[in-house]
């Protein structure tokens, strides 16, 4: 599109390639066209995948300070703190590896965030440094002229999860997020749209009494899907073990 984003669907051969070479043309000036080629890695998953994992990033695996007043800490951390200095929650990377499987490609891992695509390299560096499993990333095309919709069905995270649910139509999904923003609203709506397809919903608690009261109220009213609001990753792991997910 006009901002340089590419989105396409490609049928791959039975040879299961590990990368694609994409070539595009760009006009360097009024007279000359130039071609640019780049290598795009492909994530392949085992035919024995039992489920998929869709996880939020901010304050779910990456400590961001997203509930701080005016979100000044989020802006500061992202702009001025190198990815190698950022912190993840203890034991979360190890737990995610258990979810994905021993080979690293058994079950698809999808990272989703309202962070703009401009931060893609930063987020990937953080994932690599902290030792999280490799996976697909679904971020946001930032548009400062467009107000964020209050309608859940029109929000970026909801629409991207719907897309992932349709892509992996033969798999159930585990949804992991935090209580800081609207993850609980989106995840419960997804569970309503895709009954029997959500194995569990996990919501990390935040240091905000009002938000926690709201989230716990939503959980009490939700039916038909296991939901755990947790403080420490070990609670989530024990719950997944009890459900037979691990």
């Amino acid at each position: 599109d006009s901002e340089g984003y590419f989105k396409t669907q490609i049928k791959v051969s039975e040879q299961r390639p590990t990368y694609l070479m994409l070539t595009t043309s760009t006009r360097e000036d009024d007279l000359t066209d130039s071609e640019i080629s780049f290598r795009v890695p492909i994530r392949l998953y085992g035919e024995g995948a039992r489920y998929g994992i869709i996880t939020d990033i901010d304050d779910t695996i990456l400590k961001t300070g997203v509930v701080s007043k005016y979100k000044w800490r989020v802006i500061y951390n992202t702009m001025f703190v190198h990815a190698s200095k950022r912190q993840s929650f203890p034991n979360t990377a190890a737990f995610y590896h258990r979810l994905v499987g021993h080979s690293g490609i058994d079950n698809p891992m999808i990272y989703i965030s309202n962070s703009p695509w401009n931060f893609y390299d930063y987020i990937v560096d953080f994932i690599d440094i902290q030792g999280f499993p490799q996976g697909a990333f679904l971020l946001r095309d930032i548009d400062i002229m467009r107000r964020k919709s209050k309608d859940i069905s029109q929000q970026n995270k909801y629409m991207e999860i719907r897309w992932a649910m349709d892509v992996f139509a033969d798999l159930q999904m585990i949804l992991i997020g935090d209580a800081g923003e609207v993850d609980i609203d989106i995840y419960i709506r997804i569970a309503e749209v895709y009954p029997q397809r959500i194995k569990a919903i996990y919501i990390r608690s935040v240091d905000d009494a009002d938000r926690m009261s709201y989230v716990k109220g939503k959980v009490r009213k939700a039916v038909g899907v296991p939901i755990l609001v947790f403080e420490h990753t070990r609670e989530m792991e024990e719950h997944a073990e009890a459900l037979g997910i691990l």
Side-chain angles (χ1 to χ4, degrees), residues 24-39:
T24 184
S25 296
T26 179
R27 183 175 291 276
E28 293 181 340
D29 52 44
D30 292 337
L31 301 176
T32 307
D33 283 338
S34 177
E35 286 190 346
I36 296 176
S37 295
F38 48 98
R39 179 168 168 155

Side-chain angles (χ1 to χ4, degrees), residues 154-184:
Q154 297 301 312
Q155 293 189 20
N156 175 75
K157 190 178 289 185
Y158 174 83
M159 292 188 290
E160 293 288 7
I161 293 176
R162 287 285 306 264
W163 178 83
M165 295 292 293
D166 293 339
V167 167
F168 296 100
D170 57 337
L171 292 179
Q172 288 184 301
M173 289 288 177
I174 298 167
L175 307 179
I176 308 174
D178 68 271
E181 294 190 313
V182 295
D183 288 354
I184 188 64

